[in-house]
Amino acid sequence: MRTCTAGMYVFSLLLGVTPGAAGEFAFRHHFVDRQLPGSSWGQTAVADLDRDGRLDFITGRSRGEVVWYRLETPDRWVRHRLGEQSPSDVGGAVLDVDGDGWLDFVAGGAWYRNSGRPRTELFERIAFDGALASVHDVVLADLDGDGRSDVLTMSDKNNLRWYRIGQDPRQPWQRVDIDPSVHAGIGVGDLDGDGDLDVIRSNRWLENADGKGREWTVHENIPFGNPHQPFPLATHCAVLDIDRDGDNDLVMTENEIKAGRIAWLENVDGRGGAWRVHELAAGDTAVRGAYHSLVVADFDRDGDPDVFTCEMEGIPGERAPRWFLWENEDGQGQQFTERVILDANLGGHAAVAADFDGDGDLDLVSKLWRPRQDNANGGNNHVDFLENTARGAP
């Protein structure tokens, strides 16, 4: 079954340290950057851009610059410029577009070519669709079954579509329109069990009817998403088998509003015909800030997926922003327990998870969209690294 496929010195401060034992959650906070300029940093991605064997963190902002950070120690990251004039608001993705063995960056209607000297040279900006801008979602998936990644994009300013990368990626990419858009909410996975990849768009999913990504059947039956303005039906979505019954389920957040829900949606009939919502319970009654991050992965290394999100500073809740993990205690999604892994008045937006320090577990990196004046970095922008210090079962 196919699935979809993430210099200046900076300083660190230890915050939110939690003791842990095997199978528990324990994270140590470090600042990656306390002096990130400007605002509206939306794009995030993870890749080993310089091929030094360690993963790097990428972030960028619409119509502005894209930067990447190389980890030297948890307390010291080096910021490098990647490119300029990004056409994405939020979405970004990494793949080897031109097949030269170096990972490139895709944002909106442009890709940034890695010359093989990423520490010293800007990536070359190459437009594959010069009219595609203000993109919120950029997702990689093999929709046509040819063994190569395609690029899906969407925002409320342009429709849900995908692009096939041609033999000469410097030429315009072939575009296939799928559906009208909402602000955010692309997920990709096989929902009907027929072996090809379908596309989720918040409250509906699009069946890949011909298996080639050219014909789509709409199923408007996903019972999730806030329908109200200013960003109706904006969600995040992950596709995986939460309950281990052999079919793919959904994990979703309502990502642009205060007091949004987070839940997993059970694929009741195994074919996407009916869904049962299992909301993840909060550990207190405080109204939460916007959940504009979603990572579903095994953070405690016990063999089942946990669910991560954090609160935005730009859309705050009743308390200072916090970072949360819901532990999948029974391994089948029937008992999730919320754990607060950072409570330090530092919010996040579009967080990513990866083994940044190479010790075999998943860490977290995030940055802001816009800061709160009273945050723990003096009201300034920040990029944050949560080092996973627990040691679960290998």
Side-chain angles (χ1 to χ4, degrees):
M1 182 183 297
R2 288 181 288 118
T3 58
C4 70
T5 38
M8 64 168 285
Y9 293 112
V10 293
F11 307 96
S12 134
L13 177 67
L14 298 182
L15 293 169
V17 178
T18 305
E24 295 183 358
F25 297 123
F27 290 85
R28 179 177 292 115
H29 175 272
H30 307 262
F31 279 121
V32 174
D33 195 341
R34 303 186 69 173
Q35 303 176 47
L36 186 65
S39 67
S40 305
W41 291 87
Q43 304 147 47
T44 56
V46 178
D48 182 4
L49 293 178
D50 55 0
R51 301 205 311 197
D52 67 350
R54 281 197 168 184
L55 294 172
D56 309 304
F57 174 67
I58 304 163
T59 187
R61 53 181 174 164
S62 180
R63 296 172 293 279
E65 67 266 48
V66 182
V67 300
W68 65 279
Y69 292 90
R70 178 170 53 88
L71 181 151
E72 295 188 343
T73 72
D75 295 340
R76 174 171 165 157
W77 298 64
V78 180
R79 187 171 78 199
H80 300 270
R81 295 173 64 214
L82 187 152
E84 299 173 338
Q85 293 298 311
S86 173
S88 272
D89 285 346
V90 176
V94 175
L95 77 159
D96 183 0
V97 173
D98 56 1
D100 66 353
W102 291 89
L103 291 174
D104 311 301
F105 182 64
V106 178
W111 65 283
Y112 293 79
R113 181 179 179 274
N114 187 342
S115 71
R117 293 176 290 275
R119 297 187 189 181
T120 57
E121 293 183 359
L122 282 179
F123 290 32
E124 180 186 3
R125 185 186 190 278
I126 303 166
F128 63 84
D129 184 342
L132 180 61
S134 301
V135 169
H136 191 284
D137 290 6
V138 177
V139 176
L140 305 180
D142 179 11
L143 294 181
D144 56 5
D146 67 355
R148 300 185 301 166
S149 290
D150 307 304
V151 178
L152 292 92
T153 71
M154 185 181 73
S155 81
D156 46 9
K157 299 180 177 62
N158 43 77
N159 66 353
L160 173 58
R161 61 181 74 170
W162 67 274
Y163 292 87
R164 184 178 184 275
I165 303 171
Q167 292 298 316
D168 181 0
R170 292 179 174 275
Q171 299 301 312
W173 297 357
Q174 185 179 9
R175 165 183 161 183
V176 179
D177 295 326
I178 300 177
D179 201 45
S181 70
V182 293
H183 181 72
I186 294 179
V188 180
D190 182 5
L191 297 190
D192 52 7
D194 65 353
D196 55 40
L197 293 179
D198 309 302
V199 176
I200 298 88
R201 196 227 65 183
S202 300
N203 66 333
R204 62 202 295 176
W205 66 279
L206 296 307
E207 179 184 348
N208 192 345
D210 64 352
K212 301 295 183 181
R214 305 285 176 167
E215 298 178 11
W216 299 91
T217 301
V218 177
H219 301 270
E220 196 160 357
N221 66 349
I222 296 176
F224 202 78
N226 169 54
H228 304 298
Q229 295 293 338
F231 299 110
L233 299 174
T235 61
H236 281 307
C237 180
V239 183
L240 72 162
D241 184 4
I242 287 286
D243 53 7
R244 299 183 178 184
D245 65 351
D247 55 52
N248 278 325
D249 309 299
L250 309 176
V251 181
M252 303 181 78
T253 69
E254 294 169 336
N255 70 356
E256 297 282 3
I257 60 169
K258 184 183 296 187
R261 295 180 295 165
I262 183 168
W264 76 274
L265 282 69
E266 180 182 353
N267 191 346
V268 176
D269 64 357
R271 300 188 60 80
W275 301 91
R276 181 179 296 121
V277 178
H278 302 264
E279 292 198 33
L280 304 187
D284 56 61
T285 60
V287 174
R288 299 288 169 84
Y291 289 148
H292 204 299
S293 295
L294 177 65
V295 179
V296 185
D298 184 4
F299 285 92
D300 53 3
R301 299 201 297 172
D302 65 353
D304 55 49
D306 311 298
V307 178
F308 164 82
T309 193
C310 58
E311 296 174 273
M312 284 180 65
E313 292 187 19
I315 306 178
E318 291 181 345
R319 294 183 52 169
R322 293 174 290 169
W323 299 37
F324 306 96
L325 268 168
W326 277 267
E327 182 181 0
N328 188 351
E329 295 206 78
D330 68 350
Q332 295 184 329
Q334 302 305 311
Q335 184 178 350
F336 277 99
T337 302
E338 180 193 278
R339 315 291 187 194
V340 178
I341 61 171
L342 183 68
D343 186 0
N345 196 11
L346 297 167
H349 176 273
V352 295
D355 184 9
F356 286 97
D357 53 9
D359 66 353
D361 53 34
L362 289 174
D363 312 298
L364 289 156
V365 175
S366 188
K367 46 77 213 169
L368 292 186
W369 177 254
R370 294 190 181 99
R372 289 169 52 132
Q373 292 184 348
D374 64 348
N375 73 20
N377 191 40
N380 298 312
N381 280 335
H382 48 90
V383 182
D384 303 273
F385 172 47
L386 258 65
E387 176 191 4
N388 191 340
T389 60
R391 293 294 178 265

